[in-house]
Amino acid sequence: MGATAEHNHAHGHDSHGHAHHHEESFVSKYIFSQDHKMISKQFLITAIFMGIIAVMLSIFFRLQLGWPGESFGILNFFLGDKWAPDGVLNGNAYLAMVTIHGTIMVFFVLTGGLSGTFANLLIPLQIGARDMASGFLNMLSFWFFLASSIIMVASLFVEGGAASGGWTVYPPLSALPQAMPGSGTGMTLWLLSMVLFVASSLLGGLNYIVTIVNLRTKGMKMTRMPLTMWALLVTAILGVLSFPVLVSAVVLLLMDRGFGTAFYLSDIFIEGQALDVTGGSPLLYQHLFWFLGHPEVYIVLLPALGISSEVISTNARKPIFGYKAMVGSILAIGFLSFIVWGHHMYVTGMNPFIGSVFVFTTLLIAIPSAVKAFNYITTLWQGNIRFTPAMLFSIGLVSTFVTGGLTGIILADSALDVNVHDTYFVVAHFHIVMGMSAIFGMLAGVYHWFPKMFGRMMNTKLGYAHFWLTLICGYGVFFPMHFVGMAGAPRRYYSYSEFEFLDWVMDLNPIISTFAIVGGAAQILFLFNFFHSIFYGQVSVQNPWGSNTLEWTTPVKHVHGNWPGAIPEVHRWAYDYSNPEHEEDFVPQVVPLKTGEHGH
Amino acid sequence: MKLLILLVGVLAIIAIAQLTKVYELTRSMRKTREEDISPADNKLQANLMLVWMFLFFAGVIYLYSAYGDYLPEAASVHGAQVDSLMSINIWMITIVFFIVNFLLFYFSYKYYFRKDRKARFFAHDNRLEMIWTLVPGVTMAFIIVYGLITWNNMTGPASADAIQIEVYSKQFGWIVRYPGDNKTFGSATYNLIDPSTNPLGMVTRENIQEKVDAIDEQIESLKKEIEANAKLPIWPDSYLESQQEKLYRLSRDKQRILDLNETKNPTTGLSEWEAGADDKIINTEMHVPVGKEVEFIFRSQDVIHSAYMPHFRAQMNTVPGVPTRFKMTPTITTAEMRNKLGNDEFDYILLCNKVCGVSHYNMKIKVIVEDEKDYIAWLEKQKTYVAPAEKEESSPTTDSTTVTTIVVPNNKVVAENK
Ligand code: HEM
Ligand SMILES: [Cu+2]
Ligand SMILES: [Cu+2]
């Protein structure tokens, strides 16, 4: 891998005018870069923009839910007379916002954004490689991601509006343009965007797997890898095995929409017309979708768990408790996640016996998850905890992972799911366990590795304010939703005023919405801190957190090929924090074992 | 107003920027580094962990006490079982929730960084790890077994004398159908649906004939046009092709309808078309008798909907092309429930719980549970699908069976009777 020394100046000071003089290097350095560190920044910044859009959408529809029918100038300002006449969101726009919010959050922020950023940044750096196995595929992966992001956002502006059938886009609703306005052009764009997105994920995923398996430096045995590497490896494997199934589901749906096939359609009468298609089954789509969909939630979650393992161990100045058990539970969760998809289908009319099998497999996942939670907590026990913003977010992650995971036990139980399926209880569950946990993990990662990415430090005090506001508002939004759901309030409802039996819980809605608005606004602290620190943050030292892993042995200023000299050799595991045999409270992986010292 | 919001936003950002500047100035004067968390900061964050924990727990306890009675007592037999399973589950997860969150935040508080101590090097402990693998394992085994017993009870086959009710969904509303005196549903197919006169697509000899006639008429006129064009070609090829395609579709539709043949049910001696004549179709409310098992058979006209009856802890999707079922035994009449809740307006409700389009949020039908005799009296009063006088004509008893009998394909049958 060619290490070209002229690329090693600091980032951020290159202005457009300056770049003009040596255009080629600007383009190949910042735009069509094949360097994993630059690609990781490209992913992160794209994901941040997508995240801003998704949060704004959620605030738009939370305004409607909190104060149904009330007029908000801001809605009219952003959405215009078509979607928000007189400042009131209309029903179709509501469903489109919810759908695109969910799609962007799950796929663009927490799959493309989270894996794309941290797999790219950390894999070569933590295993001791000069770059990804294929820089070119890596670059393509980003460009597919960007193209699919642009198409997804553009779909908000087409005639008829964006896809509106929920992020799961179940046919026949999504297959028939006459079923709702969002099933027209908006839906076609949604499907095209997803195809590109999957292409991006596959290119990235294959690259991550190959790199981890083949390019580890001398001494970096699999069993010495930091847990981030294990998490990212299993995530990539899940993606490579399950995303192709999503593509097939999507392609069949495109055919049903455009070419008169009937994979998912049968016996339909709509808009005054009996359709010509028979023999398909809408349930086929659900099986295909959730075969990806469930692993997908772990694709979102595992990188966050990997990041927090790293951050918690470093900042508790203690080895992660039960390294082997942690690896084992990542593997177990990864494996089990492929055989539980049916828990999304208990009330579809699927054979109840098959339902029983899925109850069993799903509840098994609780065991490795519990092991992980207890191991985190034991890592904190008798530690020496340094509260960096990254550490705060990681502690927050453990809390949301536990709180949200517990309600999963109820949803996994088919007999109980019958009454809470598709209610706000589900919305509460997945936002806490997947949404909050993964976002916390991602933010922890940004705060922790910002010095590695940009060579500067983020502001700690702003980080503190950001964390506490986000934690309080996050729980403030999603915890009450459990009760709204248990009282029988369905999700994807534009308004609840039609149901008298729900009136008494609906006074929670303005409270939830208020938390959502404050929590959304609190993200400005982060955005400011992030962009300000890129240019003006304190210049970082080489190893600011006193960390053991290899990425902190590279120079602060990025060089192509990561290490100016030879790639260091690894002699020990990543978790020798406060090892009594050493003076310092950390022992980097490159330090050879003392004579007589037992390595892990 | 807009301007004001914008102004506040801009001011807030400026304020953050100024504060940051001041902070950065003092930092550079004191020569502190961003990654060195000061003892005061560590202590503060540790205390905040504890404060937060109390606030969080207080909030959760408040929510439990104010909103914990999520729904009135279950109004069905299986619903009561579901509720006791639910309360055991909630107890368990609530206890674990408090314990684990307590340990997390308390340890975070207790073990904050101090220069003079070193963390304990504690990398693993097989006994501890065994404990927290086994304890969740045993707990899960209990939950799985208890859960599956309840599940099997509620999803087993309905008893032979269960009352069958068809619940039919369409954008945006519900229609219920009762099988009438002969206790057998007539067949129905989406090909015969007429939104205003026959939303269920009921099959009777008349509407088959009507439909066939209508199709024939269309075919005739299309054929004429095509012939005329053959003599004097004025259409472009593409148009001709589309007309021919249309012709093909029409004849296929016709064939599908002609394929719907009468079969006699050996036990009732009625054909499925005759069986439908006394069916009762209602789109304003659904009545069910208390204490009798009811088996719902769900069908859908257009997209997937979901029939959700929270008070009975019952839900099942309605899927176009795939009939689905759910059985339950109501235990509390509407009147009793009104009494219990002290609310004279209360009604059970069936609502749509699978996003199905713009009026998804408003797709519901009232459910009334009453004594069996009131139920029967109510049902008596409802109109049959074919008025009795016509019924005589349309289904002369025996001699109509001369038609060849071909088994109706499964997916076109409303509900095969077991
Ligand atoms: C700004 C904070 C957020 C707020 C206020 C918020 C709020 C909501 C609400 C109220 C719904 C509608 C539920 C429904 O009617 O079904 C929703 C849907 C959803 N949200 Fe969020 N959410 C936030 C962040 C997130 C995050 C971080 C994720 C990432 C997992 C996420 C993923 C989803 C998904 C997948 C849906 C389902 C969309 C659908 O029904 O198709 N949200 N959100
Ligand atoms: Cu799942
Ligand atoms: Cu519906």
Side-chain angles (χ1 to χ4, degrees):
Chain A
M1 243 136 278
T4 35
E6 70 264 22
H7 282 287
N8 69 351
H9 48 89
H11 295 280
H13 70 261
D14 242 355
S15 72
H16 276 275
H18 174 67
H20 196 70
H21 296 291
H22 40 265
E23 204 169 61
E24 264 178 17
S25 89
F26 175 82
V27 169
S28 66
K29 180 162 180 215
Y30 290 101
I31 314 236
F32 293 107
S33 170
Q34 300 194 12
D35 184 286
H36 72 100
K37 301 181 290 298
M38 181 53 68
I39 294 175
S40 120
K41 291 189 233 181
Q42 292 173 329
F43 267 109
L44 179 58
I45 288 176
T46 313
I48 287 179
F49 277 104
M50 294 303 274
I52 293 172
I53 294 173
V55 169
M56 279 175 55
L57 293 177
S58 75
I59 289 177
F60 293 162
F61 61 73
R62 274 300 342 166
L63 284 176
Q64 160 65 19
L65 289 175
W67 301 275
E70 219 156 287
S71 169
F72 293 95
I74 187 170
L75 289 179
N76 189 269
F77 176 77
F78 278 105
L79 303 172
D81 288 336
K82 189 162 160 216
W83 299 121
D86 306 322
V88 184
L89 202 61
N90 73 28
N92 279 313
Y94 175 86
L95 290 176
M97 309 273 117
V98 171
T99 303
I100 302 300
H101 158 81
T103 307
I104 292 184
M105 282 293 191
V106 171
F107 290 113
F108 292 85
V109 180
L110 294 177
T111 304
L114 180 55
S115 279
T117 304
F118 291 104
N120 271 309
L121 177 72
L122 295 179
I123 288 177
L125 288 174
Q126 287 198 334
I127 63 170
R130 296 246 180 242
D131 203 319
M132 282 290 175
S134 166
F136 179 72
L137 290 189
N138 212 19
M139 176 186 83
L140 275 188
S141 163
F142 171 72
W143 286 96
F144 274 114
F145 175 64
L146 187 67
S148 77
S149 304
I150 290 171
I151 295 178
M152 189 57 76
V153 174
S155 80
L156 282 165
F157 299 95
V158 299
E159 183 66 30
S164 314
W167 77 285
T168 53
V169 300
Y170 282 0
L173 185 63
S174 60
L176 305 173
Q178 57 275 53
M180 71 195 306
S183 293
T185 322
M187 191 62 220
T188 307
L189 291 179
W190 192 97
L191 294 168
L192 288 177
S193 167
M194 267 353 268
V195 172
L196 293 178
F197 181 85
V198 173
S200 157
S201 288
L202 291 179
L203 290 170
L206 285 171
N207 224 340
Y208 308 151
I209 297 172
V210 171
T211 309
I212 292 183
V213 172
N214 289 317
L215 297 184
R216 277 168 290 128
T217 182
K218 184 149 183 259
M220 180 60 85
K221 294 187 266 189
M222 292 295 269
T223 48
R224 280 185 184 158
M225 291 200 307
L227 286 170
T228 29
M229 291 299 103
W230 277 106
L232 289 168
L233 174 65
V234 174
T235 303
I237 295 174
L238 295 187
V240 166
L241 294 180
S242 64
F243 270 117
V245 180
L246 177 68
V247 178
S248 46
V250 163
V251 170
L252 298 189
L253 185 51
L254 277 168
M255 309 241 284
D256 273 7
R257 289 169 57 79
F259 303 102
T261 56
F263 292 105
Y264 305 135
L265 306 176
S266 189
D267 295 20
I268 291 169
F269 181 93
I270 192 162
E271 286 284 298
Q273 225 192 336
L275 301 188
D276 205 32
V277 287
T278 52
S281 165
L283 300 189
L284 170 64
Y285 174 86
Q286 298 184 19
H287 282 293
L288 293 175
F289 180 87
W290 286 114
F291 188 82
L292 157 90
H294 193 87
E296 170 63 21
V297 309
Y298 288 100
I299 291 173
V300 162
L301 194 58
L302 285 177
L305 294 176
I307 288 171
S308 62
S309 306
E310 204 54 30
V311 172
I312 286 181
S313 170
T314 306
N315 289 300
R317 311 312 287 162
K318 248 191 100 194
I320 193 80
F321 182 78
Y323 175 84
K324 286 206 183 102
M326 289 299 241
V327 173
S329 26
I330 291 175
L331 292 173
I333 289 174
F335 170 73
L336 287 172
S337 72
F338 277 104
I339 50 171
V340 299
W341 78 90
H343 61 218
H344 299 273
M345 298 175 64
Y346 292 138
V347 299
T348 55
M350 184 175 71
N351 182 326
F353 174 72
I354 299 179
S356 315
V357 176
F358 283 116
V359 172
F360 179 73
T361 54
T362 304
L363 284 170
L364 283 186
I365 294 198
I367 300 169
S369 307
V371 170
K372 284 196 86 74
F374 286 119
N375 283 4
Y376 280 130
I377 288 172
T378 316
T379 306
L380 293 176
W381 178 69
Q382 298 209 344
N384 208 12
I385 301 170
R386 229 172 31 191
F387 289 107
T388 64
M391 183 63 171
L392 291 174
F393 275 105
S394 298
I395 293 172
L397 174 149
V398 177
S399 171
T400 54
F401 179 57
V402 170
T403 308
L406 285 169
T407 49
I409 293 175
I410 287 178
L411 293 166
D413 214 329
S414 50
L416 300 178
D417 183 55
V418 165
N419 203 46
V420 286
H421 180 82
D422 263 342
T423 65
Y424 261 82
F425 189 84
V426 177
V427 179
H429 159 73
F430 74 73
H431 274 99
I432 294 179
V433 74
M434 167 169 80
M436 282 179 77
S437 300
I439 291 276
F440 279 18
M442 187 165 176
L443 290 170
V446 172
Y447 280 106
H448 192 75
W449 280 290
F450 190 89
K452 195 74 260 163
M453 296 182 106
F454 297 98
R456 290 173 183 274
M457 307 298 296
M458 283 178 83
N459 183 315
T460 310
K461 298 284 197 291
L462 283 178
Y464 287 158
H466 175 219
F467 168 71
W468 287 109
L469 283 171
T470 307
L471 181 75
I472 293 168
C473 293
Y475 269 127
V477 170
F478 299 118
F479 209 97
M481 284 187 190
H482 292 117
F483 297 89
V484 178
M486 298 264 289
R491 66 193 286 203
R492 297 169 179 165
Y493 263 32
Y494 169 62
S495 145
Y496 294 84
S497 46
E498 298 295 328
F499 295 95
E500 199 229 351
F501 81 99
L502 291 173
D503 283 351
W504 73 287
V505 278
M506 285 305 146
D507 46 339
L508 285 171
N509 259 341
I511 301 173
I512 294 175
S513 292
T514 308
F515 275 119
I517 294 165
V518 177
Q523 303 315 306
I524 293 173
L525 291 176
F526 170 73
L527 292 177
F528 173 82
N529 197 352
F530 183 83
F531 288 107
H532 178 81
S533 304
I534 290 180
F535 301 105
Y536 308 108
Q538 190 176 40
V539 174
S540 156
V541 297
Q542 192 182 24
N543 187 359
W545 315 121
S547 190
N548 288 341
T549 39
L550 282 187
E551 73 272 27
W552 304 105
T553 61
T554 62
V556 175
K557 290 191 173 179
H558 288 177
V559 295
H560 221 41
N562 296 338
W563 286 269
I567 300 180
E569 190 180 330
V570 167
H571 298 280
R572 57 177 74 237
W573 74 331
Y575 297 104
D576 267 332
Y577 290 105
S578 303
N579 187 332
E581 300 185 39
H582 292 258
E583 191 60 29
E584 283 276 357
D585 68 355
F586 69 108
V587 191
Q589 288 188 277
V590 294
V591 175
L593 293 180
K594 289 187 191 168
T595 38
E597 184 184 354
H598 286 292
H600 274 271
Chain B
M1 186 62 194
K2 267 179 228 165
L3 222 64
L4 199 70
I5 297 175
L6 214 66
L7 210 67
V8 171
V10 171
L11 281 180
I13 294 176
I14 294 178
I16 300 172
Q18 291 304 325
L19 280 174
T20 313
K21 241 189 210 142
V22 173
Y23 166 78
E24 280 168 357
L25 262 173
T26 49
R27 185 183 62 197
S28 68
M29 265 155 48
R30 292 207 197 122
K31 297 211 167 17
T32 51
R33 293 211 41 91
E34 205 61 65
E35 67 268 19
D36 294 331
I37 313 293
S38 70
D41 273 352
N42 264 320
K43 181 84 189 122
L44 175 69
Q45 297 305 315
N47 287 336
L48 283 177
M49 285 284 163
L50 211 58
V51 173
W52 153 256
M53 183 181 81
F54 284 119
L55 277 179
F56 183 34
F57 286 176
V60 169
I61 290 167
Y62 167 75
L63 283 169
Y64 268 77
S65 64
Y67 298 97
D69 303 327
Y70 47 97
L71 275 168
E73 133 189 33
S76 64
V77 172
H78 79 274
Q81 294 164 2
V82 168
D83 276 5
S84 53
L85 178 64
M86 185 67 132
S87 63
I88 288 187
N89 269 266
I90 289 186
W91 269 110
M92 276 192 324
I93 68 173
T94 305
I95 291 169
V96 177
F97 164 82
F98 279 113
I99 294 177
V100 178
N101 272 296
F102 169 78
L103 292 176
L104 175 71
F105 291 120
Y106 179 71
F107 288 170
S108 304
Y109 156 76
K110 181 147 183 229
Y111 300 109
Y112 68 91
F113 190 88
R114 274 148 287 182
K115 264 224 153 55
D116 50 341
R117 40 189 290 274
K118 209 168 171 184
R120 171 172 173 167
F121 189 79
F122 185 45
H124 60 91
D125 179 324
N126 289 343
R127 209 174 32 123
L128 272 181
E129 288 171 76
M130 195 55 88
I131 292 176
W132 54 65
T133 311
L134 285 182
V135 171
V138 172
T139 320
M140 284 309 127
F142 167 74
I143 291 183
I144 291 172
V145 170
Y146 189 10
L148 288 184
I149 290 173
T150 316
W151 175 241
N152 286 339
N153 280 343
M154 61 199 274
T155 55
S159 59
D161 61 345
I163 294 175
Q164 289 195 322
I165 302 177
E166 178 183 88
V167 176
Y168 184 78
S169 61
K170 64 183 182 65
Q171 286 179 330
F172 296 96
W174 299 95
I175 299 173
V176 289
R177 174 157 71 127
Y178 294 83
D181 296 337
N182 60 24
K183 299 215 175 351
T184 314
F185 287 113
S187 52
T189 165
Y190 73 106
N191 283 308
L192 290 178
I193 289 173
D194 179 317
S196 49
T197 59
N198 187 9
L200 298 189
M202 298 281 290
V203 183
T204 63
R205 202 164 290 112
E206 290 75 26
N207 62 23
I208 284 194
Q209 202 50 55
E210 267 167 37
K211 189 79 183 180
V212 168
D213 289 348
I215 292 179
D216 276 343
E217 217 168 273
Q218 287 177 351
I219 289 180
E220 268 324 295
S221 72
L222 249 182
K223 273 190 179 153
K224 266 193 208 130
E225 283 179 42
I226 293 173
E227 269 166 28
N229 188 62
K231 284 186 199 131
L232 180 65
I234 46 172
W235 294 343
D237 282 357
S238 60
Y239 185 69
L240 187 64
E241 266 167 38
S242 77
Q243 294 299 84
Q244 254 147 6
E245 164 100 26
K246 219 178 190 176
L247 191 62
Y248 167 72
R249 291 216 165 155
L250 284 170
S251 36
R252 201 160 75 175
D253 280 356
K254 182 176 162 188
Q255 194 51 47
R256 278 200 190 129
I257 290 165
L258 289 176
D259 281 348
L260 297 168
N261 272 303
E262 290 192 88
T263 27
K264 286 266 180 211
N265 182 316
T267 44
T268 58
L270 285 170
S271 82
E272 291 189 11
W273 303 2
E274 292 160 343
D278 67 347
D279 286 3
K280 297 181 172 181
I281 299 173
I282 295 127
N283 63 9
T284 48
E285 55 192 34
M286 172 161 84
H287 285 231
V288 287
V290 71
K292 294 276 288 186
E293 188 168 88
V294 182
E295 182 180 31
F296 298 108
I297 296 143
F298 301 102
R299 286 197 308 136
S300 185
Q301 183 174 87
D302 36 36
V303 300
I304 301 177
H305 302 262
S306 189
Y308 179 36
M309 293 176 271
H311 299 102
F312 304 98
R313 319 293 189 254
Q315 175 167 211
M316 182 51 72
N317 288 0
T318 69
V319 186
V322 187
T324 54
R325 291 153 190 278
F326 195 93
K327 63 153 207 248
M328 71 176 196
T329 309
T331 50
I332 304 176
T333 64
T334 299
E336 283 163 0
M337 193 53 116
R338 285 181 178 175
N339 249 339
K340 281 182 200 241
L341 298 178
N343 175 359
D344 287 343
E345 317 264 88
F346 175 83
D347 267 312
Y348 295 119
I349 197 111
L350 184 158
L351 42 119
C352 182
N353 195 17
K354 182 61 79 187
V355 61
C356 61
V358 67
S359 292
H360 169 54
Y361 73 97
N362 190 13
M363 181 173 156
K364 59 184 177 191
I365 188 169
K366 204 196 307 186
V367 179
I368 291 170
V369 182
E370 57 201 353
D371 289 338
E372 196 173 2
K373 70 174 191 328
D374 294 341
Y375 164 76
I376 290 170
W378 172 81
L379 202 55
E380 286 289 279
K381 284 204 303 252
Q382 306 306 311
K383 279 212 304 274
T384 52
Y385 179 62
V386 177
E390 292 171 42
K391 193 172 141 192
E392 224 94 79
E393 284 169 34
S394 72
S395 53
T397 37
T398 35
D399 28 280
S400 72
T401 53
T402 44
V403 196
T404 44
T405 52
I406 299 171
V407 179
V408 182
N410 231 352
N411 60 3
K412 293 192 182 106
V413 182
V414 175
E416 355 48 307
N417 287 296
K418 295 159 297 168

